[in-house]
């Protein structure tokens, strides 16, 4: 491994609260250890099209509390091709940069892994996604804030649901992952959660809803992950209203889950991960992701973060089932 010269930092894919805290920590730690740091704007798009600026400690001041990402982001199709990555590498050479810190999700890590192996650069990933779907970390940056945002919405919906005696089907984000649905469903006291990791049994759900109704429940809430195999919230509504004789409303929470000031947990894990990323680069580590295993920062080979499926704990699903009677 060549000696690290300059370090580039970028955010890629869907943004999430806490990304700015991770940028701040990586930039300041890198400067502390004598590296020059470049901020790359709009993710891999900025690396290909030279949207690159040197960052000072002052440039990352006053951002730890801000949602979104000051470096902006993109889902960059060009970077999926070898030629796109070659252009990116040429720009890295231009700035004498041979190490990258990439804050993003699985798609961003696949790109980083390819860049590392094709051009022998050094790269460390930080898990930045509200989906919490990366193997190698208990929590990803943005997940906790997104759960809190969803919970706030669920609590508000519960008020109106109870007033009107309605069933609400609330759709949260998660194209391939049910973490957000599971955590916000448990925290919001939902009657059930519908997630891509488990087979949705509409009949069982309807039986449960009707039983609850008979037992005097005035409202019910189902939390659906957008990627549930039984369909989206409107499709689920159609299936349920064939069986249950109740007024049903749908609420899609959408992108509000991605915004907002990061909660304490996101600020803390993002800060620790940003700090650890630079220490890892300094030690010569590469092709790895920094994650949190309980209270300890750990490294996992990048490829494992998306090839090993992070499992939803089935005992939590069972617990929700028992508690929602
Ligand atoms: O970043 C993850 C995520 O928020 C998913 O939960 C969601 O399915 C997707 O991004 C939405 O992406 P976009 O903002 O590009 O529509």
């Amino acid at each position: 491994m060549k000696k690290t010269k300059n370090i580039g930092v970028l955010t890629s894919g869907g943004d999430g609260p806490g990304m700015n805290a991770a940028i701040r920590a990586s930039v300041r730690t890198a400067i502390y250890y004598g590296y020059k740091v470049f901020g790359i704007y709009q993710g891999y798009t900025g690396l290909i099209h030279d949207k690159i600026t040197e960052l000072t400690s002052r440039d990352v001041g006053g951002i730890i509390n801000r949602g979104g990402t000051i470096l902006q982001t993109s889902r960059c199709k060009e970077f999926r091709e070898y030629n796109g990555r070659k252009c990116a590498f040429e720009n890295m050479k231009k700035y004498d940069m041979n190490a990258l810190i990439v804050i993003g999700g699985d798609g961003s890590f696949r790109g980083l892994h390819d860049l590392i192996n094709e051009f022998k650069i050094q790269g460390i990933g930080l898990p930045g996604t509200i989906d919490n779907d990366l193997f190698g970390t208990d929590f990803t940056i943005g997940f906790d804030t997104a759960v809190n945002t969803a919970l706030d919405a669920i609590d508000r919906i519960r008020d109106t649901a109870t007033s009107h005696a309605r069933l609400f089907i609330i759709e949260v984000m998660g194209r391939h992952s049910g973490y957000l649905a599971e955590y916000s469903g448990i925290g919001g006291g939902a009657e059930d959660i519908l997630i891509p990791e488990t087979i949705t049994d509409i009949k069982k759900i309807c039986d449960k809803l009707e039983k609850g109704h008979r037992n005097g429940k005035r409202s019910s809430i189902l939390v659906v992950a957008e990627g549930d195999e039984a369909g989206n919230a409107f499709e689920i509504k159609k299936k349920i209203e064939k069986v249950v004789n109740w007024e049903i409303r749908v609420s899609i929470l959408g992108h509000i889950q991605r915004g907002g000031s990061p909660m304490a947990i996101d600020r803390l894990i993002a800060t620790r991960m940003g700090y650890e990323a630079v220490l890892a680069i300094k030690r010569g580590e590469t092709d790895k992701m920094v994650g949190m295993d309980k209270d300890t920062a750990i490294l996992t080979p990048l490829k494992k973060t998306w090839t090993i499926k992070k499992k939803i704990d089935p005992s939590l699903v069972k617990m929700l089932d028992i508690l929602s009677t």
Side-chain angles (χ1 to χ4, degrees), residues 14-15 75 129-131 173-175 226 255 258:
D15 61 343
R75 298 194 191 275
T129 165
I130 65 163
D131 289 350
M173 276 189 162
R175 252 194 302 242
E226 64 178 327
H255 285 78
R258 285 238 296 259

Side-chain angles (χ1 to χ4, degrees), residues 27-286:
V27 170
R28 290 192 173 168
T29 309
I31 291 172
Y32 176 86
Y33 283 111
Y35 299 110
K36 202 183 249 197
V37 193
F38 289 96
I40 299 152
Y41 288 79
Q42 296 165 23
Y44 292 123
T45 305
L47 195 55
I48 295 173
H49 297 285
D50 194 359
K51 295 174 194 291
I52 300 170
T53 312
E54 188 178 345
L55 294 175
T56 66
S57 289
R58 291 286 66 73
D59 291 325
V60 293
I63 64 168
I64 196 167
N65 55 325
R66 281 170 54 192
T69 155
I70 60 154
L71 292 178
Q72 306 160 3
T73 187
S74 65
R75 298 194 191 275
C76 179
K77 287 207 179 86
E78 281 172 284
F79 200 74
R80 290 182 204 155
E81 308 296 327
Y82 176 81
N83 284 342
R85 293 193 293 275
K86 190 160 186 314
C87 284
F89 176 62
E90 293 304 326
N91 276 324
M92 286 187 71
K93 280 203 297 193
K94 185 169 152 190
Y95 291 90
D96 226 2
M97 220 192 282
N98 63 347
L100 268 189
I101 295 174
V102 171
I103 307 160
D106 62 335
S108 312
F109 288 174
R110 283 168 211 250
L112 177 63
H113 176 72
D114 288 343
L115 189 74
I116 291 167
N117 289 291
E118 287 160 355
F119 300 101
K120 310 300 164 217
I121 64 137
Q122 209 183 347
I124 294 289
L126 300 188
T129 165
I130 65 163
D131 289 350
N132 199 32
D133 58 348
L134 292 166
F135 176 82
T137 190
D138 291 342
F139 295 112
T140 54
I141 299 167
F143 173 67
D144 181 60
T145 306
V147 170
N148 277 284
T149 303
L151 271 182
D152 181 57
I154 292 170
D155 290 348
R156 287 163 194 266
I157 288 171
R158 176 77 75 185
D159 289 344
T160 176
T162 309
S163 304
H164 284 266
R166 284 175 173 161
L167 161 64
F168 264 83
I169 303 176
I170 303 176
E171 187 180 291
V172 297
M173 276 189 162
R175 252 194 302 242
H176 308 291
S177 162
Y179 270 94
L180 201 44
E182 186 188 37
Y183 275 61
S184 59
I186 291 173
E191 271 55 40
D192 221 329
I193 54 168
L194 288 70
I195 55 178
E197 290 85 350
T198 58
I199 302 292
T200 296
D201 183 342
I202 297 286
K203 181 172 177 317
K204 195 166 157 233
I205 292 170
C206 292
D207 287 349
K208 190 188 205 185
L209 290 171
E210 285 187 322
K211 190 170 166 220
H213 211 193
R214 282 197 302 276
N215 285 343
K217 282 198 180 199
R218 251 194 88 72
S219 64
S220 288
I221 286 182
L222 299 177
V223 179
V224 185
E226 64 178 327
D228 188 61
E229 82 294 340
N232 64 27
F234 286 103
E235 288 160 346
I236 305 280
K237 175 177 183 272
K238 276 194 197 140
K239 292 179 186 173
I240 291 184
E241 66 194 0
K242 282 190 190 141
V243 188
V244 171
N245 188 21
W246 245 13
E247 254 197 307
I248 308 178
R249 293 289 186 271
V250 167
S251 184
I252 314 277
L253 302 190
H255 285 78
I256 61 159
Q257 296 159 97
R258 285 238 296 259
S261 182
M263 304 298 286
I265 289 185
D266 280 325
R267 294 184 199 198
L268 290 170
I269 64 168
T271 297
R272 290 187 63 183
M273 288 174 181
Y275 173 74
E276 291 291 338
V278 177
L279 298 190
I281 285 177
K282 201 167 159 285
R283 291 196 303 270
E285 302 274 8
T286 187

